[in-house]
Amino acid sequence: MMVYLLIEQLISQVISAGLIKERDRIYCRNQILGLLNMESFEEPVLTKTDKTIPQLLTKIVEYAITQKVITRALDDRDQLKAQIMNVFLPSPSAVNDQFNSLYQQDPIKATDFFYHFSQTSHYIQTERIAKNIHFQSDTDYGKIDITINLSKPEKDPLQIKREREMKQTSHYPTCLLCSENEGYVGRIGHPARSNHRMIDLNLLGEDWYFQYSPYLYYHEHSIVLCKEHQPMVISKTTFARLFAFVKQFPHYFIGSNADLPIVGGSILSHDHYQAGQYTFGMTDAKDAYQFKLDDYPMIDASVLNWPMSVIRLRAQDTDQLVEAGGKILAKWREYSDPDVDLVAFTDKTPHNTITPIAQFRNGRYQLDLVLRNNRTSSEHPEGIFHPHQDVHHIKKENIGLIEVMGLAVLPPRLKDELKDLKHYLLGEADQIEAYHQPWANEIKLEYKQLTRDNIDQVIEQELSNKFIKVLKDSGIFKDNSRGWQAFKRFTSSLNK
């Protein structure tokens, strides 16, 4: 039977990737046979294959569906894939031991090992991530990354039906980030995590974990999460934790989503950060102006030339950066400026917070503080400092840490809609989605010559320009004379 060959080829590929050794073949084979409800095995003629581990997994899962071992539902397929890969994996403690051994040699060796391990183990969904559309564009503010997110699989009708019919009785794991996810088989509506491993971290004497994101948005996209299920809070302690991480992994940046709805991330119930080894557009942003912090003369402070409102602090001493960051945060929490619609409180409801990013760069520690406000109004019910209606055809979701730094994560519908826009602009189609019509009209006015040779570049550039508008909407102090005057009022207030 073909399935015997697929199993042996999978084991061979896993051996080549370094997860197991040839001595483990029979043990792993028998474990997989058990998962497939197979009681016997016939040795195939083992032939080499150019299929990847994910491709072989998919073939084996298709066999399991035909034999009614599992249904075709997305959760069933993902659970079986994760369980099969878990056959090849060491225990969490063994992974940690290897990571720590390599860390003693070099932190980069440790993260390189764990990154490769997380890809080979199929926890990082490499074949799904490869479907994403990604490009870069130059703008007035520097580089912008655009990603159309196609990596998360669409739920099939059976999966949707099962989720609708399911009565949620389990609250374990508490959330998608909690440590109980490590090794969790999964259930309807909760993803499979049999092949999930995490690295133990100590941040300021607290227990945290380090893992990679299953759906990478950038190189070595990782998540640092608190062992305790506690809500996200931005505080001076947050800044200290970020630098505690950077000191352990100086080749990584680390940042946090804000801690309020609208301007925060998707999971505010569990304190966590995002890290990685990537240079975003904001990372290379130039200073718009510099200013002094009288209480911290050893810190170089500046405001960035970036569509969102960012203060950058640079120094050799992280303690000084933490103290200065704490002072700026405390000031910002209470700060209002009606001239630019900035109001800190509605009654006792707070609106101001910060998205922080820490890293070690060019021989100094750096703390970026992105000023945020989540107030709404009748004109902007989704948020005054949130993508406005005229850009919702591109992006209307929260602007979190990744977008703040200059990487757009755009909805999958745009893949087909941009193709339709291309045909429309070339005169090969009569209509497009109504919400894209004003944008199409703008492009036609801007470009007199639209041809097959330049249309893709034009659409990519205009999509990037739209994302810049998304960030400008989300920025507190706008890039105009009124906005810069207001920003300078705030930075001046830090010395009072």
Side-chain angles (χ1 to χ4, degrees):
M1 293 175 65
M2 179 59 70
V3 69
Y4 298 148
L5 179 59
L6 292 171
I7 291 170
E8 291 302 287
Q9 288 176 333
L10 175 64
I11 294 171
S12 293
Q13 292 291 59
V14 172
I15 291 170
S16 297
L19 277 182
I20 61 172
K21 297 179 179 180
E22 182 63 39
R23 174 65 178 81
D24 303 313
R25 181 181 290 274
I26 295 175
Y27 166 83
C28 292
R29 173 202 299 161
N30 287 334
Q31 292 294 303
I32 295 171
L33 293 178
L35 292 171
L36 298 176
N37 293 341
M38 297 171 64
E39 296 179 353
S40 63
F41 182 81
E42 296 178 13
E43 195 85 38
V45 177
L46 183 56
T47 55
K48 287 188 176 181
T49 179
D50 58 0
K51 288 186 173 64
T52 63
I53 290 173
Q55 289 169 340
L56 290 165
L57 279 173
T58 297
K59 290 287 187 183
I60 293 171
V61 166
E62 287 173 358
Y63 164 83
I65 293 169
T66 63
Q67 299 300 306
K68 300 190 179 342
V69 176
I70 61 169
T71 72
R72 187 167 290 280
L74 175 64
D75 279 344
D76 281 0
R77 286 181 278 135
D78 282 353
Q79 285 174 25
L80 182 55
K81 286 181 181 180
Q83 286 176 290
I84 291 173
M85 287 310 300
N86 191 47
V87 167
F88 307 117
L89 303 186
S91 67
S93 62
V95 175
N96 272 268
D97 287 346
Q98 189 167 355
F99 182 92
N100 292 332
S101 176
L102 289 168
Y103 183 88
Q104 297 306 313
Q105 302 174 36
D106 184 350
I108 295 177
K109 286 185 178 181
T111 53
D112 282 352
F113 149 72
F114 190 49
Y115 188 55
H116 174 72
F117 174 88
S118 299
Q119 291 174 308
T120 308
S121 67
H122 196 58
Y123 182 72
I124 294 177
Q125 301 288 316
T126 53
E127 86 288 2
R128 291 176 180 172
I129 295 165
K131 297 177 182 178
N132 289 345
I133 296 171
H134 177 259
F135 60 87
Q136 294 181 340
S137 294
D138 291 325
T139 72
D140 293 340
Y141 298 91
K143 176 189 76 172
I144 286 292
D145 288 282
I146 301 292
T147 297
I148 297 177
N149 181 21
L150 304 172
S151 58
K152 293 188 178 180
E154 294 186 17
K155 295 179 180 179
D156 52 75
L158 178 57
Q159 177 71 25
I160 294 170
K161 181 174 182 291
R162 290 173 67 175
E163 289 188 14
R164 285 176 177 168
E165 292 174 349
M166 180 190 67
K167 293 181 179 179
Q168 180 61 266
T169 57
S170 174
H171 298 286
Y172 178 92
T174 307
C175 79
L176 291 171
L177 287 176
C178 281
S179 58
E180 309 96 80
N181 284 280
E182 189 176 40
Y184 187 67
V185 172
R187 63 174 187 270
I188 298 172
H190 193 102
R193 292 290 183 259
S194 296
N195 56 339
H196 181 31
R197 301 293 185 268
M198 298 190 294
I199 301 300
D200 301 341
L201 284 184
N202 183 300
L203 299 180
L204 305 183
E206 302 169 339
D207 291 330
W208 286 65
Y209 295 106
F210 171 78
Q211 67 175 70
Y212 288 102
S213 171
Y215 299 101
L216 303 174
Y217 290 137
Y218 54 84
H219 186 58
E220 297 183 45
H221 180 187
S222 43
I223 300 169
V224 178
L225 58 116
C226 185
K227 180 179 180 180
E228 301 299 323
H229 181 79
Q230 60 188 35
M232 290 187 66
V233 175
I234 300 299
S235 66
K236 187 169 76 170
T237 302
T238 304
F239 307 150
R241 284 198 204 103
L242 297 183
F243 281 120
F245 177 87
V246 170
K247 286 182 177 179
Q248 293 179 57
F249 303 97
H251 57 299
Y252 273 16
F253 81 89
I254 184 170
S256 175
N257 278 308
D259 55 355
L260 294 179
I262 297 176
V263 296
S266 57
I267 302 178
L268 296 180
S269 61
H270 195 128
D271 209 359
H272 70 284
Y273 313 132
Q274 295 181 76
Q277 190 170 194
Y278 190 71
T279 302
F280 294 87
M282 197 184 89
T283 310
D284 285 333
K286 306 299 182 184
D287 290 348
Y289 72 88
Q290 298 177 345
F291 63 96
K292 295 290 185 182
L293 290 172
D294 292 344
D295 292 341
Y296 308 97
M298 303 303 291
I299 291 178
D300 290 334
S302 62
V303 165
L304 297 187
N305 180 34
W306 190 247
M308 296 194 73
S309 303
V310 189
I311 291 174
R312 174 165 290 172
L313 308 178
R314 288 167 281 202
Q316 301 286 345
D317 183 0
T318 59
D319 290 342
Q320 288 279 297
L321 291 172
V322 169
E323 290 297 322
K327 178 177 180 178
I328 293 171
L329 174 63
K331 185 76 174 183
W332 179 248
R333 292 279 193 196
E334 307 288 330
Y335 191 80
S336 295
D337 189 336
D339 191 50
V340 288
D341 287 328
L342 176 63
V343 177
F345 290 91
T346 299
D347 298 325
K348 293 184 178 181
T349 301
H351 296 305
N352 287 355
T353 186
I354 277 174
T355 300
I357 302 103
Q359 57 193 308
F360 182 74
R361 197 159 187 258
N362 299 325
R364 291 192 294 176
Y365 291 100
Q366 179 174 296
L367 180 63
D368 289 340
L369 304 172
V370 188
L371 307 179
R372 312 298 302 274
N373 176 284
N374 77 341
R375 192 165 69 94
T376 61
S377 67
S378 57
E379 182 182 2
H380 300 294
E382 294 89 0
I384 297 171
F385 303 103
H386 181 80
H388 292 170
Q389 288 283 346
D390 62 327
V391 294
H392 281 187
H393 65 110
I394 295 299
K395 176 80 172 178
K396 63 181 179 180
E397 296 82 11
N398 292 1
I399 301 304
L401 172 70
I402 296 172
E403 286 92 357
V404 160
M405 293 187 290
L407 192 159
V409 182
L410 302 180
R413 61 177 172 81
L414 285 177
K415 177 185 177 183
D416 292 332
E417 290 177 8
L418 292 179
K419 287 181 182 177
D420 294 341
L421 175 65
K422 174 180 176 178
H423 292 308
Y424 178 80
L425 292 173
L426 290 173
E428 299 170 354
D430 295 330
Q431 62 183 20
I432 53 174
E433 293 287 351
Y435 47 70
H436 287 314
Q437 190 66 57
W439 186 36
N441 295 340
E442 292 171 7
I443 293 174
K444 283 186 173 182
L445 285 175
E446 179 71 20
Y447 299 90
K448 304 306 180 185
Q449 290 281 336
L450 289 171
T451 68
R452 286 200 165 276
D453 291 333
N454 70 3
I455 189 66
D456 291 332
Q457 183 180 355
V458 166
I459 290 176
E460 288 182 2
Q461 186 62 57
E462 290 305 309
L463 189 60
S464 298
N465 293 343
K466 275 288 180 180
F467 182 60
I468 289 291
K469 174 63 166 55
V470 165
L471 296 182
K472 285 184 174 182
D473 287 348
S474 306
I476 310 296
F477 304 113
K478 308 306 182 187
D479 188 4
N480 54 40
S481 58
R482 173 180 287 186
W484 286 115
Q485 289 170 11
F487 211 152
K488 289 180 178 178
R489 282 197 294 273
F490 176 66
T491 53
S492 296
S493 75
L494 297 174
N495 291 320
K496 295 178 181 177

